Amino acid sequence: MAIALLQYLAQHSLLTVATTHFGELKALKYQDARFENASVEFDDSSMQPTYRLLWGIPGRSNALTIAKRLGLLASIVDEAQTYVGGASQDVNQVIAGLEAQRRRQETKAREATQLLHQTEKLHKEVSQKAAALQERERELKIAQEVAVNEAIGTAKSEIAQIIRRLQAGDQTAQNAQMATETLNQISEKHLPSRKQPAKPKPGFMPKTGDRIRIPSLGQTAEVLSGPDANEELSVRFGIMKMTVKLTEIESLDGQKPETKAQLAKVAAQAAATAKAKQAASEPAKPNPEIAIRTANNSIDLRGARVSDAEIEIDRALSKAVEYGALWIIHGKGTGQLRRGVHEFLDSHPQVSRYELASQKEGGGGVTLVYLK
C-alpha cells in the first residue's frame, strides 16, 4: 500500500516528502529515478541523533539498540531481534557502511580545503618575498647608477682640466676631446636609466590546467576549460566550480588576458598605420559619395553578436579601402546590434563618417560607412 501510494503521488504531485520505517521503501530509489533517499544522522557512540541531514543515504533502524540502552529486558530485545530477520540486518550494515564512507569523504574534503588554504598562504608569502627582492634589486641598481654617475662626473672634470691645459699650449687637445666622447658613449651604454625600457609582457591566454588569479575574490584557481565564444571559462578553487569572464582574471604574475575587443583594436591600429605609410604611393581613391555597392564592399551581420560583429567589420573595412565605402547590413530588430556597430565605428581610425542607407538600399537596417 505504501509503495502504491508513493508511486501515485510521484505521478500526480510536484513534490512529496514522506517519512517511514518500512525498509522496502528504501529500495524505491534504485527502481525509479523519481525517488531519492535522505535520513538524519545517528551517533552510534552516544546513541543520540545529530539532526544532520544525510542526502542520498536511507535511515537505518536503531530501535532495538536504543531499547536495550534504555533498560528494556535483554530477553525481550533478543526475542525481537529474531523477528527482524537477516535481511534487515544486512540492510542496516550496508547503510552503516555508506554513512562511514560519507564521513571519510567529508574528512578528506576538509583536509583538502585546509591544504588549499595553506598552499594559498604559502604562495602569498612567496609572492611578497619575490616583490621585496625585486624592490631590493631596484634599489641596488639605483645605488649603482649613482656611483657610476659620480665616477663619470669626476672623470669628465679631470678631462676638462686636461683640455684646458692643452688648449693653452699643446695642440693635441683634439685627442682629449675624443676621450670625452668615448666616455660619453660608455655612459650611454652602461647607465640603466639611459637604456631603452623593456617592452611590457604580452597578454596571456589561459589554457586548461593553468593556475590563474581572480582579483575580485582574492582567490587562485585552476582552469577547467578555456575561453568559449562568449569569452567565459570554467575554473575551480577548492571544491568550488564557477564560470568567470576573461576580463575578471589575471595570471599569477599579474598579466591580463587579451580580449577580442583588444585584439580588434590592435589590428585596427596596425591597419591604420600600414595605410598611412602607403598613402603617399597609393593612387587616388574613388569618391566615396559615388561609390558603387558590390559584394566586395558589403557585409551581412544579421544574427551576429556585437563582439563577433566588430571583428568582421574590421576585416571588411580593410578590404573595402579601395572602394571608399562599406555597406553594413545589421537589420532592424531590437536595434542592439545597430547600436553596437555604430559605437565601434565611432572609434575606428579608418572611418570618416557613417549614415543609415537610403530606403531603397535597406533604410534603418543598413549603415553606409565612408572611409578616410
Side-chain angles (χ1 to χ4, degrees):
M1 181 65 74
I3 293 175
L5 177 59
L6 288 179
Q7 289 178 338
Y8 176 85
L9 292 173
Q11 184 71 29
H12 294 87
S13 66
L14 294 177
L15 176 66
T16 300
V17 179
T19 60
T20 179
H21 284 284
F22 289 134
E24 294 84 349
L25 300 186
K26 300 173 184 178
L28 279 176
K29 167 186 176 178
Y30 308 103
Q31 302 170 3
D32 193 329
R34 297 175 298 175
F35 293 92
E36 181 56 272
N37 288 324
S39 61
V40 177
E41 186 179 45
F42 188 83
D43 190 338
D44 293 328
S45 59
S46 65
M47 290 296 170
Q48 296 289 334
T50 64
Y51 302 99
R52 179 167 173 265
L53 184 64
L54 300 179
W55 191 256
I57 299 178
R60 54 191 171 96
S61 175
N62 296 285
L64 298 183
T65 304
I66 295 174
K68 187 174 181 179
R69 184 174 181 273
L70 293 177
L72 191 64
L73 288 176
S75 58
I76 297 177
V77 175
D78 293 340
E79 185 175 354
Q81 188 68 52
T82 62
Y83 297 134
V84 171
S88 296
Q89 292 180 1
D90 293 341
V91 170
N92 279 341
Q93 290 177 357
V94 171
I95 295 174
L98 290 174
E99 292 174 351
Q101 183 180 12
R102 182 180 183 123
R103 285 193 293 270
R104 288 194 298 269
Q105 291 176 342
E106 291 175 344
T107 300
K108 290 181 179 178
R110 286 193 300 269
E111 292 174 350
T113 301
Q114 292 174 356
L115 181 59
L116 177 61
H117 290 163
Q118 292 173 358
T119 303
E120 291 175 346
K121 181 180 178 181
L122 178 60
H123 178 268
K124 183 177 180 181
E125 293 175 353
V126 171
S127 298
Q128 291 174 345
K129 290 181 179 179
L133 287 173
Q134 291 177 352
E135 179 63 20
R136 177 58 179 164
E137 182 180 0
R138 188 183 69 83
E139 293 175 353
L140 287 174
K141 286 183 178 180
I142 293 175
Q144 290 172 355
E145 182 174 343
V146 170
V148 170
N149 274 321
E150 291 177 352
I152 291 176
T154 301
K156 285 185 176 182
S157 176
E158 294 175 352
I159 292 176
Q161 293 176 6
I162 295 173
I163 292 174
R164 284 193 296 270
R165 288 198 300 268
L166 293 175
Q167 288 175 341
D170 197 342
Q171 298 300 316
T172 61
Q174 184 177 2
N175 294 332
Q177 182 63 34
M178 292 176 60
T180 302
E181 292 177 357
T182 302
L183 188 59
N184 283 333
Q185 293 174 0
I186 295 174
S187 173
E188 292 287 341
K189 181 178 180 181
H190 294 286
L191 280 178
S193 61
R194 300 186 185 180
K195 294 181 181 179
Q196 291 295 326
K199 295 182 179 180
K201 294 180 179 179
F204 82 110
M205 186 56 63
K207 304 182 294 299
T208 301
D210 286 353
R211 296 288 297 175
I212 53 94
R213 182 183 292 111
I214 308 176
S216 61
L217 301 179
Q219 292 282 349
T220 58
E222 178 187 358
V223 177
L224 298 180
S225 62
D228 56 17
N230 297 326
E231 297 191 329
E232 294 181 343
L233 59 158
S234 177
V235 300
R236 174 177 60 202
F237 54 92
I239 59 175
M240 298 291 294
K241 294 182 180 179
M242 65 183 300
T243 300
V244 295
K245 287 283 189 181
L246 198 60
T247 54
E248 297 175 353
I249 70 166
E250 64 183 20
S251 66
L252 297 183
D253 59 355
Q255 296 181 60
K256 293 291 185 180
E258 291 181 338
T259 62
K260 292 181 180 178
Q262 292 171 334
L263 292 174
K265 184 176 180 180
V266 171
Q269 292 174 346
T273 301
K275 176 174 171 287
K277 290 181 179 179
Q278 298 176 359
S281 58
E282 287 180 350
K285 298 177 183 176
N287 187 350
E289 304 294 340
I290 58 174
I292 300 176
R293 180 176 177 181
T294 68
N296 293 326
N297 61 356
S298 298
I299 180 174
D300 191 344
L301 300 177
R302 287 174 293 185
R305 296 175 180 269
V306 173
S307 58
D308 296 333
E310 292 176 352
I311 297 175
E312 295 299 326
I313 293 173
D314 189 67
R315 293 174 180 170
L317 286 172
S318 300
K319 295 179 180 179
V321 170
E322 59 181 300
Y323 299 97
L326 175 67
W327 279 262
I328 302 176
I329 306 170
H330 44 65
K332 297 179 180 179
T334 62
Q336 181 177 358
L337 180 58
R338 180 180 62 192
R339 288 193 295 273
V341 168
H342 287 180
E343 290 176 0
F344 180 69
L345 294 174
D346 286 335
S347 59
H348 200 285
Q350 288 182 260
V351 175
S352 173
R353 65 185 181 88
Y354 62 87
E355 61 187 21
L356 293 177
S358 61
Q359 288 299 323
K360 66 179 182 179
E361 292 185 329
V366 179
T367 295
L368 174 57
V369 184
Y370 297 103
L371 279 65
K372 293 181 180 179

